[in-house]
Amino acid sequence: MTTTYKMVRTSILAAPLALAAGMASAGGLSEPVETVAPTPVPVAAPVMTGSDWTGFYAGGQLGYGQLDSDDLTEDPDGLTYGAHAGYLYDMGSWVLGAELDIDGTEIEDETADVAVDAITRAKLRVGYDAGNWLPYVTAGVAQARVSGSLDADDTGGFAGLGAEYRVSDSIRVGAEVLQHQFEDFDGSGVDIDATTAAARVSFQF
């Protein structure tokens, strides 16, 4: 009886010790199991880019023009109206383009009997891509057709500033101011300067 009792008591005492040893070796309370924090995934910051202005376009313009010449009795002014067509190439920050336009006018000096019938222009344009805005400078060659006491046409130069705003992918609105110079118009000895300002609507396709 004594031997059996000792064996039972030894087994009862040994069981908790064995359990504690097993918990320690498995990372129990005395040695907590380490957890690895998830590695953060880098997220690229959004990059702001401008609109793509590349493509052919055409449209119309409506504006105002005024002549300035020492050889005219007054500085006649009047309505201008016309059409334009061109192509732009977006290089990223800068936009290059070429355009042809023609304006009919209601500009007339009744006293001198001189009327400007039409102005045709061949333009080069350099603009800055500011998203939906495109401010630009332009310059080129202009041909003016006049009638009345001076019935002729002549070629001069012009330069100016403009800006366009993209309303949608296919519609743009803008404004443009141009300064023209025609020296010794068709050999008449008359120098003519002309300033035009116009609102424009263009359709890109």
Side-chain angles (χ1 to χ4, degrees):
M1 291 292 293
T2 302
T3 303
T4 301
Y5 173 75
K6 289 180 177 180
M7 293 178 61
V8 171
R9 187 177 65 178
T10 303
S11 299
I12 291 173
L13 293 174
L17 296 175
L19 180 60
M23 291 177 62
S25 62
L29 296 175
S30 61
E31 186 179 341
V33 178
E34 294 183 2
T35 58
V36 180
T39 303
V41 178
V43 179
V47 179
M48 300 300 292
T49 59
S51 300
D52 186 5
W53 294 86
T54 299
F56 289 97
Y57 64 92
Q61 64 266 8
L62 181 65
Y64 164 86
Q66 183 175 39
L67 301 186
D68 181 13
S69 174
D70 294 335
D71 300 289
L72 299 177
T73 57
E74 56 186 63
D75 294 334
D77 57 11
L79 184 69
T80 65
Y81 47 87
H84 60 266
Y87 180 82
L88 295 178
Y89 181 70
D90 196 332
M91 303 178 64
S93 295
W94 299 101
V95 179
L96 304 180
E99 178 182 300
L100 293 174
D101 77 13
I102 183 169
D103 275 339
T105 89
E106 300 293 336
I107 303 173
E108 182 178 3
D109 183 345
E110 295 181 354
T111 304
D113 188 24
V114 174
V116 180
D117 296 329
I119 302 176
T120 305
R121 307 176 189 89
K123 300 178 178 178
L124 292 178
R125 295 175 55 180
V126 179
Y128 177 72
D129 186 347
N132 287 331
W133 284 98
L134 180 67
Y136 62 89
V137 296
T138 183
V141 178
Q143 184 180 57
R145 172 71 185 176
V146 301
S147 60
S149 60
L150 180 61
D151 188 4
D153 57 68
D154 199 7
T155 301
F158 73 91
L161 301 172
E164 290 189 352
Y165 177 74
R166 182 187 297 275
V167 178
S168 67
D169 289 340
S170 58
I171 301 175
R172 308 197 302 255
V173 296
E176 189 175 75
V177 177
L178 304 176
Q179 179 65 40
H180 308 72
Q181 289 187 334
F182 301 93
E183 296 182 359
D184 188 18
F185 196 94
D186 193 41
S188 64
V190 177
D191 295 333
I192 299 176
D193 293 341
T195 303
T196 60
R200 295 159 46 101
V201 178
S202 303
F203 301 90
Q204 184 170 334
F205 50 90

